[in-house]
Amino acid sequence: MAAAVEMSKGAVRLGGRTIWSDVDLLVGEGEFVAILGPNGAGKSTLLNVLLGLNHLAAGSVAVLGGPAGSSNERIGHLPQRRVFDSATRVRGVDLVRLGLDGRRWGVPLPFAARFSARSRAERARVAQAIERVGAEAYAERPIGECSGGEQQRLLIAQALVREPRMLILDEPLDGLDLPNQAAVAALVERICREQDVTVLLVAHDVNPLLPYLDRVLYLAGGRGAMGSVEEVITSETLSSLYGAPIEVLQTGDGRLVVVGQPEAPHQHGPRHVLR
């Protein structure tokens, strides 16, 4: 399996402080990998490194066979969840179209241009992205009138409209209720498998993702551990990362509960704080 992302001994310093160091990351093409860890562990910083927005202080990184930032046109990026006011009148379909060329947003097109071959091709790509996420029923509605789950599907369609080879999703489950978390997780997994798209997804809660993940990277205590869920989310591994006693429990329905983090103990369950 060719590597979509390869980082060796990576370290990041921001504002004179080391965020994490000695982090190894190897993601194969078509893999679904979650990036987990507490607030402030540097999960979003890692995504910024892969996009070339932050730079390593040490180590090396390659993305889609080249330097970080050199292949961003082949990456669909969904930043941390945006909240749309109920009065927002932009239609879902127009939001998706921004993924093709946001620079043309708000610029009226001449009549003839609307019916050019390029315009027809763009409309077809937008319609295909909307169909892939199952948002046809509400794509024509103002985005402010859509539910949280519907908005997130449309934002994923925006990330897909350029037909990327990789999706980088920063907390796409954040702020959603449990049914919508499960639905969005299943949608992302289907895109990953059917279209052979590599997925890197940041999450606080691993449980909605458990049926779908290939591997996880857990960042904590300025370090990282990568492997399968069974290898990484264990009492031994997390205790080593946090430098404190951690206990990982499994409920009768298979959910994971992590007890003892230096931040407030929490279940890897519905804990979603908008940042």
Side-chain angles (χ1 to χ4, degrees):
M1 183 184 297
V5 176
E6 189 169 7
M7 179 186 294
S8 176
K9 307 297 182 184
V12 167
R13 290 182 59 84
L14 296 176
R17 181 172 70 93
T18 298
I19 307 301
W20 38 257
S21 62
D22 203 30
V23 170
D24 294 325
L25 175 62
L26 181 62
V27 181
E29 291 183 355
E31 278 198 300
F32 188 174
V33 174
I35 302 170
L36 308 171
N39 288 334
K43 302 184 297 296
S44 296
T45 299
L46 173 61
L47 300 189
N48 287 338
V49 167
L50 301 182
L51 292 167
L53 303 176
N54 291 136
H55 302 288
L56 293 179
S60 62
V61 62
V63 179
L64 296 176
S70 66
S71 299
N72 284 0
E73 73 282 356
R74 294 190 287 158
I75 297 174
H77 177 218
L78 180 60
Q80 288 189 12
R81 180 169 162 73
R82 288 168 277 179
V83 178
F84 296 97
D85 186 89
S86 60
T88 304
R89 306 307 297 170
V90 178
R91 296 179 306 164
V93 65
D94 297 320
L95 187 74
V96 175
R97 189 175 291 115
L98 281 174
L100 281 177
D101 194 347
R103 292 171 298 174
R104 291 189 293 158
W105 174 246
V107 179
L109 293 175
F111 180 81
R114 297 181 208 157
F115 299 95
S116 67
R118 173 178 174 176
S119 180
R120 290 195 300 272
E122 288 180 351
R123 287 198 299 272
R125 289 177 69 175
V126 169
Q128 183 182 50
I130 290 170
E131 180 182 3
R132 284 175 174 170
V133 302
E136 303 99 312
Y138 44 85
E140 296 291 335
R141 298 209 311 254
I143 192 69
E145 295 181 5
C146 295
S147 70
E150 290 169 347
Q151 290 179 8
Q152 202 66 333
R153 284 177 179 265
L154 288 165
L155 289 169
I156 292 172
Q158 184 189 76
L160 283 173
V161 73
R162 285 182 176 270
E163 300 181 353
R165 298 309 310 142
M166 180 186 299
L167 282 178
I168 290 181
L169 310 176
D170 198 349
E171 300 190 23
L173 308 184
D174 199 43
L176 301 180
D177 58 22
L178 290 176
N180 274 311
Q181 288 177 35
V184 170
L187 168 65
V188 172
E189 194 267 349
R190 177 170 60 80
I191 292 166
C192 175
R193 306 308 177 196
E194 293 182 358
Q195 301 176 36
D196 196 31
V197 173
T198 305
V199 175
L200 287 174
L201 185 152
V202 168
H204 279 297
D205 176 7
V206 73
N207 284 297
L209 303 168
L210 284 177
Y212 312 122
L213 293 174
D214 293 308
R215 291 183 297 155
V216 302
L217 171 68
Y218 204 111
L219 294 174
R223 296 182 297 144
M226 187 167 191
S228 67
V229 171
E230 294 78 13
E231 292 168 337
V232 173
I233 306 182
T234 67
S235 299
E236 180 180 3
T237 300
L238 296 191
S239 295
S240 175
L241 285 177
Y242 281 101
I246 302 292
E247 187 172 5
V248 178
L249 308 174
Q250 190 168 37
T251 65
D253 62 358
R255 297 178 68 82
L256 298 176
V257 181
V258 179
V259 180
Q261 290 105 316
E263 71 169 9
H266 70 277
Q267 175 172 327
H268 267 285
R271 189 178 77 98
H272 301 282
V273 180
L274 291 175
R275 292 188 286 174

